[in-house]
């Protein structure tokens, strides 16, 4: 009986493309299949009108769209979404790349809150403040995060270690980011991968909104129901801090560095920002009072 050498099925978000490798001994190896991350557009529409187009890894679009709307201040809770569904028919070309959002009865979603993004500007997977009218627009949207809670330094130092367990597509391709939300004990509440670090965060926030009842600063909610640490695998940009502040997540931890605007917004929004959280160490830029020895 011959051995079946057909390639194993790939998980969602990963595909194959041919590659020719140049080896260390100066040779070109024969062409072979390689696993790469999938990147496709997602057109987010509200009542038939395009709000934004983002380049993302397909999968968990319901969370991505909900998190995006929440972070932009367009919705305050899951109850504001009347319906969310992909347009078209299963099997048709392009199916799955358009999502139609229907507001809850009696609710009008104000497109002006996202400024120039409404013009159909393409938001790339790496996009930060693309499509915004000004930095001040973003500063005006961000609420100040309440004080506390205190977090042991040891919990923060281990925060990025949780990402390794939730990055199967990164292990295969090396081409995707990850984000996770942790509680005060370091337990993972939600975690996702995506080619865009902002999309990964939106998926995390959307899951918290839809699955755990996360509400915005305008709606009262016990502190125990809010995430404590937002962990990201890449550079912390201005928009990552905005999304954390909108989710009232007091601590952001990153494997990598932070931009100057991210640091400035974290200081203004009351967010504790830790970077280069690796190997039991980290750098604190803002609000170190939340982190205690231990």
């Amino acid at each position: 009986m011959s051995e079946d050498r057909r390639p194993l099925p790939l998980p969602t978000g990963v595909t194959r493309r041919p590659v020719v490798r140049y080896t260390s001994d100066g040779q070109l190896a024969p062409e072979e299949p390689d696993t790469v991350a999938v990147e496709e557009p997602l057109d987010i529409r509200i009542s038939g009108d395009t709000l934004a187009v983002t380049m993302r890894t397909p999968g968990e679009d319901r969370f991505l769209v909900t998190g995006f709307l929440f972070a932009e201040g367009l919705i305050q809770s899951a109850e504001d979404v009347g319906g969310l569904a992909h347009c078209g028919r299963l099997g048709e070309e392009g199916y799955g790349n358009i999502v139609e959002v229907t507001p809850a009865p009696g609710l009008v979603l104000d497109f002006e809150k996202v400024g120039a993004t409404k013009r159909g500007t393409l938001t790339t997977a790496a996009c930060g403040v693309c499509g915004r009218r000004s930095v001040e627009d973003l500063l005006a949207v961000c609420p100040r995060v309440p004080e506390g809670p205190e977090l042991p330094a040891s919990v923060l130092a281990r925060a990025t270690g949780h990402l390794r367990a939730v990055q199967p597509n990164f292990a295969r391709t090396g081409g995707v980011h990850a984000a996770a939300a942790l509680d005060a004990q370091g337990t993972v509440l939600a975690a996702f991968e995506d080619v865009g670090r902002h999309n990964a965060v939106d998926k995390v926030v959307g899951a918290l909104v839809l699955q755990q009842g996360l509400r915005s600063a305008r709606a009262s909610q016990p502190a125990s129901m809010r995430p404590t640490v937002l962990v990201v695998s890449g550079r912390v940009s201005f928009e990552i801090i905005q999304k954390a502040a909108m989710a009232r997540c007091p601590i952001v931890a990153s494997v990598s560095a932070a931009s100057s605007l991210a640091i400035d917004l974290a200081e203004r929004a009351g967010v504790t920002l830790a970077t280069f959280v690796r190997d039991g160490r980290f750098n604190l830029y803002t609000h170190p009072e939340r982190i205690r020895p231990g």
Side-chain angles (χ1 to χ4, degrees), residues 6-286:
R6 288 176 300 178
L8 295 174
L10 293 175
T12 301
V14 176
T15 188
R16 290 188 176 94
R17 292 291 186 272
V19 64
V20 174
R21 305 184 194 277
Y22 182 73
T23 62
S24 58
D25 60 359
Q27 301 297 315
L28 289 173
E31 182 180 285
E32 61 180 344
D34 189 25
T35 53
V36 297
V38 176
E39 182 178 36
E40 293 182 359
L42 180 68
D43 184 346
I44 303 172
R45 299 179 181 180
I46 297 179
S47 301
D49 198 356
T50 294
L51 174 68
V53 179
T54 185
M55 303 302 295
R56 96 301 188 198
T57 299
E60 309 298 351
D61 288 339
R62 182 171 63 102
F63 294 149
L64 191 162
V65 173
T66 300
F68 176 79
L69 297 176
F70 187 87
E72 296 296 337
L74 289 172
I75 63 171
Q76 308 302 315
S77 68
E79 286 76 19
D80 289 344
V81 179
L84 195 159
H86 288 103
C87 298
R89 295 181 179 180
L90 186 64
E92 290 181 343
E93 183 179 358
Y95 174 78
N97 288 341
I98 301 175
V99 168
E100 177 74 24
V101 180
T102 304
L107 179 68
V108 177
L109 301 184
D110 183 7
F111 283 8
E112 291 302 314
K113 289 185 178 180
V114 296
T117 304
K118 166 62 181 63
R119 297 189 306 230
T121 301
L122 180 67
T123 302
T124 69
C127 187
V129 294
C130 305
R132 307 306 188 118
R133 284 174 297 187
S134 71
V135 169
E136 285 303 317
D137 286 345
L138 279 173
L139 291 172
V141 168
C142 289
R144 187 171 178 84
V145 175
E147 295 182 2
E150 288 190 358
L151 190 74
S154 59
V155 174
L156 179 57
R158 295 192 299 268
T160 57
H162 294 285
L163 293 180
R164 286 190 288 271
V166 297
Q167 289 186 279
N169 287 351
F170 177 81
R172 287 175 174 267
T173 69
V176 292
H177 287 283
L182 313 179
D183 66 13
Q185 287 70 48
T187 302
V188 176
L189 303 175
F192 295 95
E193 291 183 289
D194 199 279
V195 289
R197 63 186 187 278
H198 301 107
N199 295 336
V201 172
D202 280 338
K203 289 179 179 181
V204 167
V205 173
L208 295 176
V209 171
L210 293 176
Q211 295 182 336
Q212 302 197 25
L214 179 68
R215 294 176 177 271
S216 74
R218 297 181 184 178
S220 60
Q221 185 178 41
S224 60
M225 296 181 65
R226 299 195 296 267
T228 300
V229 185
L230 175 65
V231 190
V232 294
S233 63
R235 175 178 58 87
V236 179
S237 65
F238 189 97
E239 194 171 38
I240 297 295
I241 299 298
Q242 179 212 353
K243 294 177 187 296
M246 293 298 286
R248 290 192 287 175
C249 183
I251 302 170
V252 172
S254 173
V255 176
S256 188
S259 70
S260 61
L261 276 176
I263 296 170
D264 294 345
L265 180 59
E267 177 63 35
R268 176 165 171 169
V271 173
T272 299
L273 175 57
T275 65
F276 296 107
V277 184
R278 310 173 187 171
D279 304 320
R281 299 188 298 271
F282 53 80
N283 299 335
L284 280 177
Y285 282 98
T286 58

